[in-house]
Amino acid sequence: MTLKITNWMMPLIAGAMFASCSGKQEERQETKIRVETETVSENTVSDNRSYVGQVEEKQSTVLSFTGTGTVLQMLVDEGQRVSKGQLVAVLDETQMRNALAASEALLAQAKDGYERLKQVHEAGSLPEQQWVEIQSKLRQAQASRDMAQKALKECRLVSPVSGIVGRVSLRAGETALPAQPVCTVLDISSVKISTSIPEGEIGLITEHTPSTIQVEAAGVSGLRGGRIERGVQADPITRTYNIKINLPNADGRLLPGMVAQASIRQEGTDKAITLPITSVQQATDGSHFVWIARDGKAHRQSVEPGALTGNRVVIRSGLKAGDRVIVEGYQKVSENCAVSY
């Protein structure tokens, strides 16, 4: 059966087709891509920068003997905790004891001679010169005895501070020389993170600049740094300045020599536009752009990025205050497509 379309049916068919197309067009117009935007504004720029350094002890004390002798006992090992006044090492005392015995004998002889001549001097029968000489010999004998006592005492090396034994340089049986390092005692009740800062950035760091420390070897992260000590003389080759960040270390987990990462917040004085790093895209020609939302439409906008500041990037040009930059959902948009936010 063939359906014939008469002239009076044409307007009805056309109207239906128009209504159908109009409905699809309206449906397409109502389909908008959901995005999140950030309104551009100028803010004071704070720059978080990371530097690699190492842990240093609060203080290092080198222990040594004042005289020469053979090490009889070495009573500490590396990494051992010691207390102030604790015995660390002992020299062979034989020679020092003999020297003390000899000096005491000479002192006894000088005292005897002094007492004998004292009576003669008081009787007025001793020349003044001889009386001065016997007094001088007595004082010399006393000084020799005191030195021998001191030398014997110093055969026993004690720690003047509490801390951790660092490096042990001598062992039992070896010969110690005057001022030769025997071992070091490290005070690590607090530590310092030592790192180098380029000369162009040292001016932005003060004694109280905030910092965050991470020491992977000790399982430490997010540790807030304390007072910063700044060096005043640049390295002649690298043109960097040394700084030291003070840290508490009551549990002793941070040990000298561990690699540390210091994140230092450098406050700026200039205002600038910044955006999340992920919102800035790079084109195939190397240029950069962002997507902005204006009048419900997405538009591509070329920008010139600058320095990083944390997880944001400074925008040197291409945007102005009040622009809406698409920061979420930009992967789905295209030029002039409808967006909602």
Side-chain angles (χ1 to χ4, degrees):
M1 179 178 177
T2 304
L3 179 63
K4 294 183 178 180
I5 300 176
T6 59
N7 292 336
W8 63 270
M9 295 176 65
M10 292 296 293
L12 295 177
I13 296 173
M17 292 179 62
F18 178 77
S20 176
C21 292
S22 176
K24 292 180 179 180
Q25 185 175 2
E26 289 178 359
E27 184 180 352
R28 286 196 300 269
Q29 290 177 347
E30 291 176 356
T31 302
K32 295 183 179 181
I33 299 174
R34 181 68 184 177
V35 297
E36 292 186 15
T37 64
E38 179 179 312
T39 303
V40 171
S41 62
E42 290 188 344
N43 298 299
T44 302
V45 177
S46 296
D47 192 2
N48 288 331
R49 302 197 179 186
S50 294
Y51 306 92
V52 176
Q54 69 175 11
V55 179
E56 290 185 356
E57 66 278 1
K58 176 183 178 181
Q59 182 179 348
S60 176
T61 304
V62 180
L63 306 188
S64 61
F65 290 105
T66 58
T68 302
T70 302
V71 178
L72 187 65
Q73 291 178 293
M74 192 69 205
L75 302 174
V76 297
D77 295 314
E78 293 182 0
Q80 179 180 336
R81 288 187 177 273
V82 296
S83 302
K84 182 178 180 180
Q86 181 175 336
L87 186 62
V88 172
V90 178
L91 288 181
D92 186 349
E93 300 176 348
T94 304
Q95 183 178 355
M96 299 305 174
R97 288 189 181 278
N98 292 337
L100 177 59
S103 65
E104 287 178 339
L106 290 175
L107 177 60
Q109 182 182 10
K111 282 183 176 180
D112 180 69
Y114 174 82
E115 293 297 333
R116 291 175 183 275
L117 292 179
K118 181 180 180 181
Q119 298 176 4
V120 178
H121 178 262
E122 290 176 349
S125 302
L126 183 70
E128 191 65 27
Q129 182 178 357
Q130 291 183 359
W131 177 241
V132 173
E133 287 178 357
I134 193 62
Q135 287 180 313
S136 176
K137 287 181 180 180
L138 177 60
R139 287 194 295 268
Q140 289 176 2
Q142 289 173 333
S144 297
R145 190 275 314 271
D146 292 344
M147 291 176 62
Q149 286 180 334
K150 183 174 182 293
L152 178 60
K153 182 180 179 180
E154 290 177 347
C155 286
R156 301 172 66 83
L157 183 63
V158 298
S159 176
V161 295
S162 298
I164 300 291
V165 177
R167 179 174 298 175
V168 175
S169 304
L170 288 178
R171 296 293 180 182
E174 296 181 337
T175 300
L177 300 176
Q180 178 185 4
V182 175
C183 67
T184 57
V185 177
L186 310 177
D187 181 358
I188 60 170
S189 57
S190 64
V191 295
K192 300 178 181 182
I193 306 300
S194 177
T195 187
S196 297
I197 305 296
E199 62 179 353
E201 301 171 16
I202 190 65
L204 300 176
I205 296 177
T206 67
E207 181 180 1
H208 303 291
T209 298
S211 62
T212 304
I213 307 301
Q214 177 179 346
V215 183
E216 186 175 346
V220 173
S221 62
L223 189 59
R224 184 176 180 181
R227 183 175 59 89
I228 296 179
E229 302 172 12
R230 296 197 317 167
V232 296
Q233 188 171 2
D235 185 283
I237 299 176
T238 62
R239 306 306 305 169
T240 59
Y241 289 83
N242 183 257
I243 68 167
K244 295 184 179 182
I245 306 170
N246 288 271
L247 282 179
N249 189 36
D251 55 7
R253 283 195 296 171
L254 301 177
L255 299 176
M258 286 183 172
V259 176
Q261 184 171 356
S263 179
I264 302 178
R265 183 179 180 184
Q266 299 178 359
E267 294 289 350
T269 57
D270 296 332
K271 288 191 173 183
I273 293 172
T274 65
L275 291 176
I277 295 175
T278 54
S279 64
V280 180
Q281 309 297 304
Q282 186 172 17
T284 54
D285 61 357
S287 62
H288 294 83
F289 66 93
V290 296
W291 291 100
I292 63 173
R294 186 171 59 244
D295 300 329
K297 303 287 186 180
H299 301 281
R300 177 167 163 164
Q301 177 65 45
S302 296
V303 295
E304 182 184 357
L308 297 179
T309 170
N311 61 351
R312 300 177 70 85
V313 60
V314 174
I315 303 300
R316 294 177 178 173
S317 63
L319 296 175
K320 63 182 183 299
D323 287 341
R324 281 185 173 272
V325 176
I326 299 174
V327 295
E328 295 288 344
Y330 52 81
Q331 304 92 337
K332 301 177 289 185
V333 303
S334 58
E335 182 65 28
N336 214 37
C337 74
V339 294
S340 63
Y341 43 86

